[in-house]
Every structure is written in C-alpha cells, then in structure tokens.
Amino acid sequence: MFNLFKKKEKKHMVGSPAKGKAVSLKEVNDPTFAEEMLGKGAAVIPEEGKIYAPADGEIGMVFDTLHAISMTTDFGAELLIHVGLDTVKMKGDGFTGHVKAGDHVKKGDLLLEVDLEKVKAAGYDTITPVLVCNTQDYASVEGIESAHVNAGDDLIELS
C-alpha cells in the first residue's frame, strides 16, 4: 500500500547481436571499450558471422567499412555494435551490409555478415562490443556476462 505512489521502474532488454559467448566489456582488449569511454554494455565473442538487430529501432549509421552500426531503439537507447577490434583497417573486406541508415529494423533482422575467419587471418580480434552510448539516460545499464547466448538472447538490461 505504501508503494502506491512509487514510480515503477521500467526495464528494457537489448539482445545479443550474435551467437557466441557473452562477456564483460572489461574483457575487451581495447581501452575505449573496456573503460566504457563510449558507454556501458557488454560484448559477444561471435561463433557465427551473422550480426542481427538486438532490438526494434532505426539504423542511425552504417560505417563505410561495415565494421560498425549505430541504431536508436524504439525505447530510446542509442546503441553501437562494433564488430571486432581494429577491423576498420579491413576497409570492408570480409563484411557484407544488409541495412542502411534510416532503415527501421525489428529485433532479429540481419544487419551484417562478416567472414570471421578472414578477420582472424588478418590478425584482428572478432569480439563484438555492444554499447549503450546514452548510458547517462538510464539509472542502470547491466551487461549479462559469462554465458553462452544465441542471437536475440538478453545481453544488456536497462532501467
């Protein structure tokens, strides 16, 4: 009864963009991600080269090199999905884009394909950070880690 006037905490989930192992951003071998300079989130070590929309929303930007995509979810989270570390240097080789800026996507829609073996052969890490760039808009941004996930499984909880 005394909780009558308490504002209900709204929670939102961001799914995994790929099948693989969910890990903490602290395990990403790049200080920009590990120290959460661009926002909080989680990362996935992908097992397959398909990157899917982690939530319903609008694609903000597809980088020319296809290694990263930004999107704004329908609930307002500004996400950055960054496939691999230093993969910008591959200049799009091994990457195939399936969306463009302005596209509205549903959770589970295919965004990108990446040849993981080509990325590894070029000497790059395939770990894929997913960041909430507007972390300050949320009371809590918690990544789910140390779990095997399928694309779409819960990866980040926002409240």
Side-chain angles (χ1 to χ4, degrees), residues 64-156:
D64 291 341
T65 50
L66 303 176
H67 75 288
I69 288 183
S70 70
M71 70 176 287
T72 302
T73 68
D74 287 350
F75 55 84
E78 296 167 5
L79 305 179
L80 174 67
I81 303 163
H82 195 284
V83 183
L85 302 181
D86 293 325
T87 47
V88 65
K89 295 175 185 166
M90 292 183 71
K91 298 185 171 113
D93 186 32
F95 291 82
T96 304
H98 292 283
V99 293
K100 63 186 181 316
D103 285 354
H104 193 275
V105 295
K106 291 283 190 194
K107 181 177 180 178
D109 286 354
L110 184 63
L111 303 178
L112 292 174
E113 287 184 272
V114 55
D115 184 335
L116 295 176
E117 294 312 312
K118 191 174 256 195
V119 172
K120 290 175 190 171
Y124 301 113
D125 191 335
T126 61
I127 196 165
T128 300
V130 180
L131 307 175
V132 179
C133 297
N134 60 334
T135 292
Q136 71 283 356
D137 292 350
Y138 296 92
S140 171
V141 176
E142 297 295 324
I144 292 161
E145 50 197 68
S146 302
H148 184 274
V149 291
N150 287 309
D153 287 355
D154 291 346
L155 182 67
I156 302 168

